[in-house]
Amino acid sequence: RHPALFDSVANAAIPIIGSFKAQEIAITVSAFAATRHATQTSKLLFTKVADAIIMNAAVLQDWEDIALVAVSFAFMKARHEGNELIELIGNEVLCRKDELSLGARELANLAAAFSYYHMIPCSKDVLELTYEKFQPQ
């Protein structure tokens, strides 16, 4: 699975992560989470992603629903302690609850992420929302 290659990619991405768009962030962290490389460099990448989003939290309002889910799910898969970021994502999801447009897979991934981050204050509300969205209309 080429951990050295992923470390090289992380080293290249870290200095410019603040310039990434939502989809680029989602794809990057999803790829790293899928490989399950737990190197110091990959951990630093997740930390820098969280820091960049937290420092400019207002950008989450412009993110597509799917990007919010992808990032929270990737952080869960990587078992990264991104509690403050996940809280911001959860609150953004809750702000969109009436307009939230996610398929069954995305709802399941959202539920998995917020079940993992159960200690976050908004976790229960996000889990209840995913349950409501699974119900037939």
Side-chain angles (χ1 to χ4, degrees):
R1 294 233 194 181
H2 312 293
L5 177 61
F6 274 87
D7 279 352
S8 295
V9 171
N11 281 324
I14 288 169
I16 59 171
I17 203 73
S19 67
F20 281 26
K21 293 179 175 81
Q23 185 178 10
E24 295 165 332
I25 290 173
I27 290 168
T28 302
V29 295
S30 293
F32 275 82
T35 64
R36 301 192 192 263
H37 290 298
T39 66
Q40 288 304 108
T41 309
S42 63
K43 290 176 186 178
L44 181 60
L45 175 70
F46 276 87
T47 299
K48 294 297 184 181
V49 165
D51 291 347
I53 296 169
I54 291 165
M55 288 177 58
N56 193 12
V59 300
L60 291 177
Q61 296 173 0
D62 299 327
W63 283 30
E64 292 183 25
D65 299 341
I66 192 85
L68 296 170
V69 174
V71 170
S72 59
F73 189 67
F75 269 69
M76 182 231 25
K77 280 182 73 176
R79 304 214 183 289
H80 190 79
E81 295 300 320
N83 294 359
E84 187 176 355
L85 171 62
I86 303 302
E87 177 75 13
L88 289 170
I89 290 173
N91 287 328
E92 183 60 33
V93 165
L94 293 170
C95 286
R96 302 176 185 194
K97 67 180 178 182
D98 295 329
E99 302 89 34
L100 199 62
S101 178
L102 297 171
R105 176 185 226 147
E106 291 83 18
L107 286 169
N109 288 350
L110 188 64
F114 281 85
S115 179
Y116 177 77
Y117 290 103
H118 61 88
M119 70 301 264
I120 292 174
C122 71
S123 179
K124 181 177 181 270
D125 295 331
V126 173
L127 289 170
E128 287 175 358
L129 175 63
T130 60
Y131 175 76
E132 289 170 17
K133 294 288 183 179
F134 267 120
Q135 300 306 307
Q137 301 294 323

